[in-house]
Amino acid sequence: MARYARVAPLVACLLFACAVADGHRWRRQADDAKKEESTQGLDLCKDKDAGEWFRLQTGDGDSCRDVIQCTASGIQAIRCPAGLFFDIEKQTCDWKDAVKNCKLKSKERKVKPLLYTEEPLCQDGYLACGDKNCVERGLFCNGEKDCADGSDENSCDIDNDPNRAPPCDTSQCVLPDCFCSEDGTVIPGDLPARDVPQMITITFDDAINNNNIELYKEIFNGKRKNPNGCDIKATFFVSHKYTNYSAVQETHRKGHEIAVHSITHNDDERFWSNATVDDWGKEMAGMRVIIEKFANVTDNSVVGVRAPYLRVGGNNQFTMMEEQAFLYDSTITAPLSNPPLWPYTMYFRMPHRCHGNLQSCPTRSHAVWEMVMNELDRREDPNNDEYLPGCAMVDSCSNILTGDQFYNFLNHNFDRHYDQNRAPLGLYFHAAWLKNNPEFLEAFLYWIDEILQTHNDVYFVTMTQVIQWIQNPRTVTEAKNFEPWREKCAVEGVQACWVPHSCKLISKEVPGETINLQTCVRCPVNYPWLNDPTGDGHY
């Protein structure tokens, strides 16, 4: 969605409720009017942050579409397109139904802590709140308001959190447990790029069920082999509702990786940005319990997390992951860059800016790997086309309209990785995008087959297999016998059950719904949900 539709920049007109025509700045001729205009503009802008949009009038309708901003050259105005309102907190246009703050003229003014003062205000180990009271340093930016004015939680980005992770220190960050580089582009083990196997990670998000099982069988048909002779593999970030757990069990049996994508897939994006450690635990650790029980995945292999809508949950999400022994996250997006970034551990500061509108990236040190999502370059002709912002999920690359375009897009982004530092190439999908566009699927399968036929140094592997290689870098020659890449190499045999139990279940957590749960194990009493992931009825 466009951030906003540019409307004529208004200067004093809005201040005097005059009509503006043709979108041109209205210049007053009289000196006294200019003076009055300047004074009123200063009054409006005196408590506003640089670049902040605010309203002159509150209410629904056009009043909720119109906002202004103070700039060096005067007051500037925009109006959201029809059907959209301006969200004061998000500072962007959004669908009408999603905007709940039309009665607010401006963002809530947050008191900042006094972190840097000429004379110390507090003893060692303590920092000053906005009201000059002192609080233990470790309580700042911990997700709970410990200052009376709440200021300890109001300056918590990667540059201001007093407890932020330090910059990368390669003398302290050593493989296999830790990997970092200052700009994120360094190859693990300092191998020359030509000796590094090019890893490609295909992932799918959301439920696995009858809508996409056949698609997955077509892509991963047992005939597409990596150079080591093993079947190509993918990672599935599974959400709970509508998932067929007998299909998850079969997908895991075939050697693909199962990771978690939450129980509820809560459609309020702000929930994920603001969720507590406990909220994250119920959603993600609870989802792992459901997968392990109803898909009979008992090898402790469910170790990855991706948040719905790619909404990063800040330190709370990563604290939960440490507590629940998750190995990696794959939610954080890195802006389009050349060369692309390698995955890294979160012990040290992220090697790129926090990318995305109102994202809440972690600032502290965490014992978690980040399978960073490098944005893809969606220009058709990278040598001549003007700059376009990248896209993380393939199906969000909105200018891909034909199979030929998709094929060229895949080749271009493969070359960006392969010809530079061979950072893993991530191709992240929702299954419906391929299923509903047969031309895209045909191009994708043709491209995979072509890559496998023409390259003996390219491997389609799971997220965990990438981390296993980073922890123990192996050359292209050595990769053919790299043991972690040979697990469940080419799986034969029959699936666990041809006809799964079809359990029609209810839960007081999901009132008014009867939901079908398909599983090879015995039906539970209740439909599994946040407070009852085993479905035993014990809350």
Side-chain angles (χ1 to χ4, degrees):
M1 182 194 308
R3 177 180 166 90
Y4 51 73
R6 178 70 181 269
V7 177
L10 310 181
V11 188
C13 295
L14 281 170
L15 305 180
F16 295 97
C18 66
V20 178
D22 300 325
H24 293 296
R25 190 183 298 274
W26 186 49
R27 292 183 173 82
R28 293 184 173 276
Q29 302 299 318
D31 290 341
D32 58 341
K34 285 185 178 178
K35 193 176 296 183
E36 183 178 355
E37 169 193 322
S38 176
T39 302
Q40 292 202 32
L42 287 173
D43 289 342
L44 278 173
C45 298
K46 64 182 180 182
D47 64 341
K48 301 297 187 294
D49 295 332
E52 179 185 345
W53 296 99
F54 58 97
R55 306 188 210 282
L56 283 179
Q57 294 182 326
T58 61
D60 294 334
D62 286 348
S63 296
C64 203
R65 294 171 64 194
D66 294 334
V67 285
I68 62 174
Q69 180 188 59
C70 302
T71 71
S73 57
I75 304 290
Q76 186 177 33
I78 63 164
R79 168 172 285 183
C80 292
L84 307 183
F85 281 166
F86 193 88
D87 190 311
I88 282 292
E89 292 301 325
K90 287 185 177 179
Q91 290 282 289
T92 188
C93 295
D94 204 347
W95 301 113
K96 285 183 179 180
D97 292 343
V99 178
K100 310 297 183 186
N101 50 39
C102 290
K103 294 182 180 179
L104 293 180
K105 284 191 172 182
S106 59
K107 286 199 308 181
E108 176 190 358
R109 313 254 45 97
K110 294 183 177 180
V111 180
K112 297 294 178 72
L114 303 175
L115 300 179
Y116 308 103
T117 56
E118 290 186 13
E119 295 293 329
L121 298 177
C122 304
Q123 65 196 80
D124 285 348
Y126 284 73
L127 293 171
C129 304
D131 58 10
K132 298 186 178 180
N133 285 316
C134 297
V135 170
E136 283 184 48
R137 181 189 190 97
L139 297 177
F140 277 70
C141 301
N142 67 348
E144 298 178 10
K145 294 182 178 180
D146 297 289
C147 289
D149 57 11
S151 59
D152 56 308
E153 300 301 318
N154 292 342
S155 189
C156 292
D157 58 31
I158 192 67
D159 295 314
N160 293 298
D161 182 349
N163 302 293
R164 60 189 176 273
C168 173
D169 181 350
T170 52
S171 68
Q172 298 295 317
C173 186
V174 180
L175 291 173
D177 298 319
C178 182
F179 178 70
C180 71
S181 64
E182 188 172 342
D183 65 358
T185 66
V186 173
I187 297 172
D190 292 323
L191 291 179
R194 65 180 180 276
D195 291 340
V196 175
Q198 177 63 62
M199 292 168 271
I200 299 176
T201 54
I202 298 173
T203 76
F204 290 94
D205 290 4
D206 300 334
I208 297 178
N209 54 34
N210 293 342
N211 290 330
N212 49 44
I213 291 171
E214 293 305 316
L215 171 72
Y216 299 149
K217 286 181 180 177
E218 185 175 357
I219 299 172
F220 308 104
N221 59 7
K223 297 177 182 177
R224 296 186 170 93
K225 305 284 187 180
N226 284 320
N228 62 357
C230 297
D231 294 346
I232 66 171
K233 301 292 196 297
T235 299
F236 294 81
F237 291 93
V238 182
S239 54
H240 174 45
K241 208 171 187 183
Y242 311 121
T243 280
N244 178 333
Y245 286 95
S246 67
V248 174
Q249 184 168 347
E250 176 64 7
T251 302
H252 174 258
R253 187 184 76 86
K254 289 286 191 180
H256 301 290
E257 179 176 10
I258 306 299
V260 299
H261 194 47
S262 82
I263 291 178
T264 69
H265 207 288
N266 191 315
D267 59 6
D268 180 359
E269 293 186 27
R270 284 170 289 194
F271 168 80
W272 301 103
S273 298
N274 302 318
T276 65
V277 174
D278 187 53
D279 290 334
W280 278 102
K282 286 181 177 179
E283 288 279 5
M284 300 303 181
M287 186 61 200
R288 178 165 59 188
V289 168
I290 292 173
I291 290 170
E292 290 178 342
K293 178 170 183 178
F294 296 104
N296 202 25
V297 177
T298 57
D299 57 1
N300 297 316
S301 62
V302 184
V303 294
V305 168
R306 177 173 288 162
Y309 309 106
L310 304 185
R311 298 307 300 187
V312 190
N315 292 315
N316 285 347
Q317 176 191 343
F318 284 77
T319 297
M320 177 280 297
M321 293 181 65
E322 285 183 289
E323 292 177 353
Q324 299 293 337
F326 282 104
L327 173 66
Y328 72 85
D329 168 72
S330 184
T331 305
I332 296 177
T333 300
L336 178 61
S337 65
N338 288 309
L341 306 189
W342 276 84
Y344 50 85
T345 47
M346 298 296 296
Y347 289 110
F348 293 89
R349 181 187 175 114
M350 293 192 319
H352 58 91
R353 62 184 171 86
C354 186
H355 185 53
N357 185 33
L358 292 181
Q359 280 284 31
S360 176
C361 291
T363 56
R364 298 190 173 190
S365 179
H366 300 279
V368 174
W369 283 83
E370 181 55 43
M371 292 297 295
V372 61
M373 302 176 71
N374 283 297
E375 281 195 329
L376 300 163
D377 189 339
R378 57 196 178 102
R379 293 175 295 173
E380 287 193 49
D381 183 354
N383 295 319
N384 296 317
D385 284 359
E386 63 183 37
Y387 175 79
L388 287 172
C391 44
M393 301 292 293
V394 173
D395 35 291
S396 69
C397 303
S398 55
N399 59 328
I400 299 175
L401 302 176
T402 68
D404 286 343
Q405 285 179 318
F406 186 33
Y407 173 77
N408 292 334
F409 163 90
L410 291 168
N411 275 327
H412 165 50
N413 282 286
F414 174 81
D415 291 343
R416 284 179 53 237
H417 288 249
Y418 187 81
D419 294 341
Q420 295 191 86
N421 63 350
R422 298 206 178 174
L425 169 62
L427 300 174
Y428 313 122
F429 297 92
H430 293 93
W433 190 80
L434 287 171
K435 182 182 176 183
N436 296 339
N437 296 280
E439 191 178 350
F440 295 167
L441 177 59
E442 182 182 0
F444 186 45
L445 296 179
Y446 181 87
W447 177 80
I448 293 175
D449 291 338
E450 185 177 65
I451 289 291
L452 291 172
Q453 289 166 8
T454 56
H455 293 78
N456 64 357
D457 54 359
V458 177
Y459 288 77
F460 291 82
V461 292
T462 69
M463 294 273 185
T464 293
Q465 287 177 324
V466 171
I467 293 174
Q468 289 169 324
W469 185 92
I470 294 174
Q471 291 178 314
N472 190 8
R474 287 290 178 261
T475 64
V476 170
T477 303
E478 296 167 329
K480 289 190 175 182
N481 296 309
F482 186 45
E483 199 56 39
W485 288 6
R486 299 195 60 80
E487 291 181 12
K488 296 187 177 180
C489 182
V491 178
E492 302 296 335
V494 297
Q495 58 194 65
C497 61
W498 290 106
V499 182
H501 300 296
S502 187
C503 316
K504 297 190 183 306
L505 302 168
I506 60 173
S507 166
K508 65 184 181 183
E509 292 190 81
V510 193
E513 286 193 68
T514 300
I515 307 173
N516 194 33
L517 177 76
Q518 292 178 298
T519 175
C520 290
V521 302
R522 190 173 63 182
C523 292
V525 177
N526 293 327
Y527 187 67
W529 206 248
L530 288 175
N531 294 305
D532 182 22
T534 60
D536 293 331
H538 303 308
Y539 289 86

